[in-house]
Amino acid sequence: MVGSPDSVQKNVVLENNSLSAEQITGVENRKSKAGEAVLPVLRSVSLFLLGLLGVLLILLTLLVIAAEAARIICLGPAAKKQQKERPGRRIRRTEARIYQYLCLWGIDAGLGWETAATDAELARRFPAVEPGEYTRVCHLIEKHIYGESLLSPYEERTLNHFLEKLMEPVPGCSWKMRLKLRYACLRRVNTKKKKRKHSAFQQK
């Protein structure tokens, strides 16, 4: 018997559907194989990035530990050793530290130079610094350098107390500035005598 046109058409449609299903299945199989091939690569990259991050964290931790250990030594045994130095050298060291921290704060200052303006700027920016305190500190340093006289223990404590105020962060201080202040003690300062061209003490 010869099939009717309707049955022939149905067979053609069924064959086309079966072919389309096979094609779709083949494409899906290829996609799944490609996905399976990519997964190990992604896993390897993720593990590498995690390992790299772990190494960086370990190095950062070791750096912080080393910096803190050096800071403890600087503020501990080294500071006690400096207290046993000759008074003149000890005062010059304190002076150098004062101007080191002023430089960190972005204040252009020098002994006997723009003392009044610097004093006003410090009193404005630092809540702990009183007006006239920097001027007093400058006079004490000049008394030792140009007057060639030793300072009393009270006068030395005045210098150290002023230095401690400069070492403390002020409200609103950035984290970068806090780091600079915290580890500034690790930098060596020059305590040798210098020739000074300007001095308010000499002009009196």
Side-chain angles (χ1 to χ4, degrees):
M1 293 179 66
V2 179
S4 63
D6 291 338
S7 62
V8 172
Q9 191 174 13
K10 288 179 180 179
N11 291 333
V12 171
V13 171
L14 290 173
E15 289 177 359
N16 290 337
N17 289 339
S18 63
L19 288 174
S20 300
E22 290 177 357
Q23 289 174 351
I24 292 171
T25 304
V27 171
E28 290 179 348
N29 289 335
R30 286 195 295 272
K31 286 183 178 179
S32 63
K33 290 180 180 179
E36 292 175 357
V38 171
L39 284 176
V41 176
L42 293 177
R43 190 178 296 110
S44 299
V45 172
S46 300
L47 291 175
F48 172 77
L49 292 177
L50 286 175
L52 182 61
L53 180 61
V55 171
L56 292 176
L57 288 175
I58 291 173
L59 291 176
L60 180 61
T61 302
L62 292 176
L63 180 62
V64 171
I65 292 174
E68 285 296 319
R71 183 174 179 271
I72 291 172
I73 294 173
C74 181
L75 298 178
K80 291 180 179 178
K81 183 179 179 181
Q82 292 172 8
Q83 290 299 321
K84 297 179 181 179
E85 292 179 335
R86 288 179 286 106
R89 183 178 179 84
R90 191 168 60 241
I91 294 170
R92 289 196 300 273
R93 186 183 300 279
T94 304
E95 177 201 359
R97 285 294 183 193
I98 287 173
Y99 288 103
Q100 176 195 13
Y101 279 93
L102 287 176
C103 183
L104 282 179
W105 284 109
I107 298 176
D108 187 15
L111 188 63
W113 182 75
E114 298 289 345
T115 302
T118 304
D119 191 300
E121 179 70 8
L122 289 172
R124 183 184 66 84
R125 291 178 56 178
F126 294 83
V129 176
E130 299 291 336
E133 190 170 354
Y134 173 72
T135 302
R136 167 68 173 162
V137 166
C138 289
H139 287 168
L140 291 176
I141 296 173
E142 290 174 333
K143 173 185 174 182
H144 168 70
I145 294 174
Y146 302 115
E148 298 183 352
S149 59
L150 296 178
L151 300 183
S152 67
Y154 171 77
E155 290 172 330
E156 281 200 51
R157 283 196 298 271
T158 300
L159 298 182
N160 292 326
H161 187 54
F162 178 75
L163 174 59
E164 291 171 0
K165 292 180 179 180
L166 298 180
M167 295 169 67
E168 292 296 324
V170 297
C173 186
S174 66
W175 65 269
K176 290 183 179 180
M177 188 61 192
R178 290 177 183 272
L179 286 177
K180 289 180 180 180
L181 292 173
R182 186 169 184 82
Y183 298 111
C185 61
L186 302 181
R187 180 179 294 182
R188 297 186 64 180
V189 294
N190 185 13
T191 58
K192 294 181 179 180
K193 293 182 180 180
K194 298 179 181 179
K195 293 182 179 179
R196 306 170 191 270
K197 296 180 180 179
H198 304 286
S199 171
F201 185 84
Q202 286 180 320
Q203 294 174 359
K204 291 183 177 180

